Amino acid sequence: MKKFTQHTGIAAPLDRANVDTDMIIPKQFLKSIKRAGFGPNLFDELRYLDEGQPDQDCAGRPLNPDFVLNQPRYKGTSVLLARENFGCGSSREHAPWALDDFGIRTVIAPSFADIFYNNCFKNGLLPIVLAEAQVDQLFKEVEAAEGYELTVDLERQVVVTPSGEEFAFEVDAFRKHCLLNGLDDIGLTLQHADEIKAYEERRRQEAPWLFGAIK
Amino acid sequence: MAGKTLYDKLWDAHLVRQNDDGSALIYIDRQILHEVTSPQAFEGLRLAGRKPWRIDANLATPDHNVPTTERSAGVDQIEDPVSRIQVKTLDANCDEFGIVEFKMNDQRQGIVHVVGPEQGMTLPGTTVVCGDSHTSTHGAFGALAHGIGTSEVEHVLATQCLIAKKMKNMLVRVDGELGAGVTAKDVVLHIIGVIGTAGGTGYAIEFGGSAIRSISMEGRMTICNMAIEAGARVGLVAVDETTIEYFRGRPFSPSEEQWDAAVASWKELVSDDDARFDTVVEIKAEDIQPQVTWGTSPEMVAPVSALVPNPDAESDPVKADGIRRALKYMGLQADQKITDIQLDRVFIGSCTNSRIEDLRAAAEVVKGRKVAANIKQALVVPGSGLVKAQAEAEGLDKIFVEAGLEWREPGCSMCLAMNPDKLGQGEHCASTSNRNFEGRQGFGGRTHLVSPAMAAAAAVTGHFIDVRELMQ
């Protein structure tokens, strides 16, 4: 997995609550059997004026000029500011894959949906929860200043604004450890294979009907 | 010490390892696989040279991409080449790794969340995961079940475990008696309207109370299915006689010799009387009316008799903005009557409402009536081949076809429109599915979530109507 330690980049404000995973990456693009290549279709229905198709070259498609990531001042955005309950809806990991493929490294919001939040960490993408008032302040600052950049320091667990103001955020110790070191968690789990086998043996005694049933 | 909730019991029973940092390793009894969220997981196994930990814990079936029209020629008959490759990839992966798959034309094929319980693959006391957020459905049986991403699908295939963190406990208690024409779907839509689309984030929600106890297994599945639309990954209903009866004679249920021991362990799967919940929400069954969503989030819901809300009456500016945006997308006016919304299509199906009881409820309403002239299409898509066969044995297919609805092959269909069943731009649909997000059922499509009976009533009148008016 890709590491995340510290990142500085252009921030863009996506000013709507309850951005769902259908909005992040519409279903027709989930037919791909790959993990990469979803970036051109990130926010497809908000970003383009026509209906997108899988495997289509997006270069010639009509852009929605009102959509924030289409505005020239937000070109190269890698820090996405969002509103409450970002990533609600389906479990599709294509949502973080699309954000990552587009170049987003971190999403800052007052709250996230659980499955999306969890999926981000598996892909080197850092979701950051800040208080609503802090997110509001960042929205105001980014809208007021072109070229506004934010720095995220995972080691110190802070978001740093251009004026040097710092906002601390929480992150689980295990997830932080994996992100900082780019660790593959299957490998970590398999270090406990003996414990899994011991549990499984107990389970087989207690609930034998769960073993060998599906053939 | 306080007693345990059902969720606490399920968590404790599956704990392999508790780490000092708060994370834990929990054992997964069952994984269900489908074509959309598994190809990258199998590819990951191959790239790392890993094998599945335990083959007999997995069951696969294609559902999202499959056409629901005549498909006797099999996978090659899927017209969309990208969909065809995805279904073929699932077939090839299951063949390669030796995983049991109900392929497209197997009578046991269907929507993962209909097939799992129907086969007795989902059982009380199990942990069930699937790369699909509506896996919460299986919690109706007192199973700890939730959706996972593709990386976790691979993790479960490789290790039979998930790295997890314990959720908080919420009890939603619905007491009293549901009125005639008020169904499980109306109950869960009402609950989402009360707690909001993020109200359950971070929680496992147990649905309890006398009204929930009186609901069938099909209805309990509908309620747990939509726990995720309230933000909760996990929905749960305690085990009772209704649960136990459901599993008699299912293909993967415990054998006759194992049955008594299994039932004895299942009976423990209730929250203790003195269990402590972090949050309790109390709802009176009598307050619940047939529901219709008017907006683009499941929390944007109201009784059929209500008016579409006015954003000017909302004090929270982010919420008011959300209402304005939703009304614009949905092509609705503030304060208009919900019963004045004219419809273009009707969809009866999805993992929320495609089981036999749902089809019976819809058939009862359309029987002897005709689909209204303004309805371009009314689809009935059973949840599995076995549900389809049962419905046909009861003659429901004939009732639908005589009324002018289309009787289809099983799959996810127009719930998310990955197959050819979709809405046109600007079309309004009365849908028994679970999400009314922008574009969910087709680019520019406008979804209204309702119960099967309400969808059937909308089909025969062409607009929303309180189904109780047709039942008199």
Side-chain angles (χ1 to χ4, degrees):
Chain A
M1 188 182 73
K2 191 155 64 178
K3 282 186 190 182
F4 189 109
T5 50
Q6 197 189 65
H7 176 78
T8 301
I10 299 263
L14 181 59
D15 195 3
R16 59 192 289 167
N18 299 318
V19 170
D20 58 70
T21 53
D22 279 82
M23 222 178 269
I24 298 172
I25 182 84
K27 74 288 205 142
Q28 64 268 38
F29 306 109
L30 312 189
K31 297 178 186 181
S32 167
I33 57 170
K34 305 192 189 105
R35 263 178 194 263
F38 297 102
N41 301 110
L42 175 72
F43 297 121
D44 200 272
E45 290 183 8
L46 302 174
R47 193 165 150 195
Y48 303 99
L49 295 170
D50 63 345
E51 181 179 3
Q53 301 301 333
D55 298 332
Q56 174 187 21
D57 179 7
C58 294
R61 295 177 60 195
L63 292 172
N64 175 3
D66 297 332
F67 182 57
V68 63
L69 294 176
N70 287 336
Q71 293 163 18
R73 60 181 288 191
Y74 296 118
K75 196 171 160 53
T77 290
S78 58
V79 178
L80 190 65
L81 294 178
R83 295 293 188 185
E84 64 181 22
N85 200 28
F86 187 84
C88 61
S90 90
S91 66
R92 60 188 72 165
E93 202 160 313
H94 312 68
W97 293 340
L99 287 162
D100 176 63
D101 201 55
F102 180 87
I104 305 289
R105 298 298 328 274
T106 176
V107 184
I108 302 173
S111 60
F112 292 89
D114 286 341
I115 304 180
F116 173 83
Y117 183 80
N118 194 41
N119 283 341
C120 285
F121 286 97
K122 311 287 180 188
N123 293 282
L125 192 71
L126 177 62
I128 296 175
V129 177
L130 291 182
E132 201 152 352
Q134 293 172 330
V135 174
D136 257 341
Q137 182 187 328
L138 294 179
F139 264 87
K140 288 199 179 89
E141 289 184 11
V142 71
E143 280 159 6
E146 199 166 331
Y148 184 91
E149 290 193 343
L150 286 171
T151 294
V152 171
D153 186 334
L154 177 57
E155 181 66 58
R156 292 175 52 229
Q157 294 182 217
V158 285
V159 176
V160 189
T161 73
S163 68
E165 191 173 1
E166 294 192 348
F167 298 119
F169 63 87
E170 295 292 321
V171 59
D172 284 349
F174 177 76
R175 285 170 164 152
K176 178 178 176 179
H177 173 70
C178 288
L179 265 191
L180 284 174
N181 299 291
L183 296 175
D184 160 22
D185 58 12
I186 295 179
L188 290 176
T189 298
L190 287 174
Q191 291 175 3
H192 305 298
D194 289 346
E195 283 171 81
I196 302 171
K197 282 179 191 153
Y199 172 88
E200 201 164 51
E201 204 36 53
R202 285 202 308 278
R203 186 92 180 128
R204 194 188 294 273
Q205 301 300 323
E206 288 164 10
W209 54 88
L210 297 178
F211 290 79
I214 299 166
K215 281 184 203 144
Chain B
M1 205 175 91
K4 286 182 178 183
T5 66
L6 170 56
Y7 172 69
D8 295 338
K9 292 181 183 180
L10 291 165
W11 173 270
D12 290 350
H14 289 87
L15 195 60
V16 172
R17 182 190 165 83
Q18 176 71 58
N19 296 317
D20 297 337
D21 60 17
S23 70
L25 215 50
I26 61 164
Y27 189 80
I28 302 303
D29 295 308
R30 296 285 187 244
Q31 171 154 245
I32 319 180
L33 300 153
H34 64 83
E35 78 277 20
V36 181
T37 55
S38 67
Q40 298 88 350
F42 283 113
E43 185 63 13
L45 282 188
R46 263 192 296 271
L47 288 172
R50 292 178 174 131
K51 290 207 163 5
W53 179 278
R54 203 185 127 201
I55 301 285
D56 70 343
N58 298 282
L59 178 69
T61 192
D63 56 2
H64 287 61
N65 280 273
V66 298
T68 58
T69 44
E70 200 285 318
R71 61 189 198 201
S72 55
V75 181
D76 287 324
Q77 205 177 336
I78 302 177
E79 273 181 38
D80 178 347
V82 201
S83 287
R84 189 168 63 233
I85 289 170
Q86 199 164 50
V87 175
K88 282 189 165 181
T89 302
L90 179 69
D91 292 354
N93 282 326
C94 290
D95 290 347
E96 178 186 339
F97 289 100
I99 289 169
V100 173
E101 183 196 3
F102 299 158
K103 293 196 165 72
M104 195 175 86
N105 283 354
D106 188 314
Q107 197 187 27
R108 299 167 295 175
Q109 176 271 343
I111 305 172
V112 280
H113 310 306
V114 175
V115 169
E118 184 174 81
Q119 292 294 322
M121 192 223 184
T122 304
L123 289 171
T126 54
T127 39
V128 181
V129 293
C130 174
D132 190 286
S133 59
H134 292 110
T135 308
S136 57
T137 310
H138 309 256
F141 300 98
L144 175 53
H146 62 78
I148 55 177
T150 296
S151 294
E152 290 182 316
V153 171
E154 183 182 343
H155 192 281
V156 173
L157 279 169
T159 70
Q160 214 52 49
C161 290
L162 263 188
I163 298 168
K165 201 178 167 188
K166 202 172 172 197
M167 302 173 201
K168 290 182 285 183
N169 281 290
M170 181 187 289
L171 174 65
V172 174
R173 190 162 51 217
V174 188
D175 279 317
E177 212 168 308
L178 294 171
V182 179
T183 67
K185 183 66 164 286
D186 302 303
V187 172
V188 71
L189 284 171
H190 178 87
I191 291 169
I192 296 164
V194 171
I195 69 175
T197 188
T201 303
Y203 288 94
I205 301 182
E206 180 175 341
F207 300 96
S210 59
I212 301 292
R213 297 255 69 85
S214 72
I215 292 174
S216 68
M217 276 326 306
E218 280 86 353
R220 294 178 191 180
M221 280 190 260
T222 300
I223 292 173
C224 289
N225 172 276
M226 290 191 74
I228 186 66
E229 310 316 331
R233 296 175 80 175
V234 166
L236 285 166
V237 175
V239 170
D240 60 10
E241 284 303 321
T242 306
T243 324
I244 293 165
E245 279 310 305
Y246 179 90
F247 288 106
R248 276 189 200 278
R250 306 236 167 224
F252 304 138
S253 282
S255 65
E256 258 178 63
E257 304 81 67
Q258 296 165 331
W259 182 259
D260 289 347
V263 168
S265 72
W266 296 348
K267 285 186 172 168
E268 303 291 317
L269 298 170
V270 296
S271 289
D272 294 333
D273 290 339
D274 57 345
R276 201 187 67 81
F277 287 87
D278 300 284
T279 303
V280 177
V281 177
E282 299 197 18
I283 286 171
K284 285 199 195 89
E286 290 78 9
D287 291 346
I288 306 174
Q289 308 297 316
Q291 305 281 307
V292 180
T293 66
W294 50 266
T296 53
S297 163
E299 69 180 9
M300 294 174 164
V301 66
V304 61
S305 57
L307 304 180
V308 170
N310 191 326
D312 297 338
E314 173 60 55
S315 55
D316 177 341
V318 175
K319 276 205 176 127
D321 184 46
I323 296 173
R324 263 182 218 106
R325 211 192 293 263
L327 294 186
K328 185 168 175 229
Y329 181 83
M330 295 297 288
L332 297 175
Q333 303 298 318
D335 298 325
Q336 82 172 86
K337 281 183 180 170
I338 285 180
T339 48
D340 285 344
I341 298 172
Q342 296 294 308
L343 297 159
D344 302 288
R345 290 182 202 263
V346 172
F347 172 60
I348 298 170
S350 86
C351 58
T352 313
N353 284 124
S354 65
R355 287 166 281 265
I356 190 68
E357 182 183 287
D358 302 315
L359 303 185
R360 285 177 192 145
E364 195 182 322
V365 174
V366 303
K367 190 173 187 175
R369 296 188 166 100
K370 292 281 179 203
V371 168
N374 58 310
I375 301 292
K376 295 175 195 165
Q377 183 181 49
L379 288 182
V380 186
V381 184
S384 71
L386 291 168
V387 169
K388 181 168 184 260
Q390 173 71 29
E392 288 172 355
E394 295 179 19
L396 304 184
D397 58 323
K398 291 198 178 64
I399 295 173
F400 288 126
V401 171
E402 273 166 27
L405 293 93
E406 296 176 34
W407 179 243
R408 294 292 190 95
E409 298 295 325
C412 299
S413 182
M414 203 191 269
C415 172
L416 86 168
M418 277 187 79
N419 79 345
D421 308 335
K422 54 186 78 164
L423 298 183
Q425 200 160 357
E427 288 179 347
H428 287 268
C429 179
S431 178
T432 67
S433 55
N434 41 59
R435 291 194 174 128
N436 50 352
F437 298 158
E438 289 185 17
R440 169 83 178 179
Q441 293 192 291
F443 183 72
R446 294 160 169 168
T447 302
H448 301 274
L449 304 175
V450 288
S451 74
M454 283 288 288
V460 296
T461 56
H463 56 85
F464 287 115
I465 181 173
D466 190 328
V467 65
R468 293 172 295 190
E469 291 177 35
L470 299 185
M471 290 164 71
Q472 283 159 6

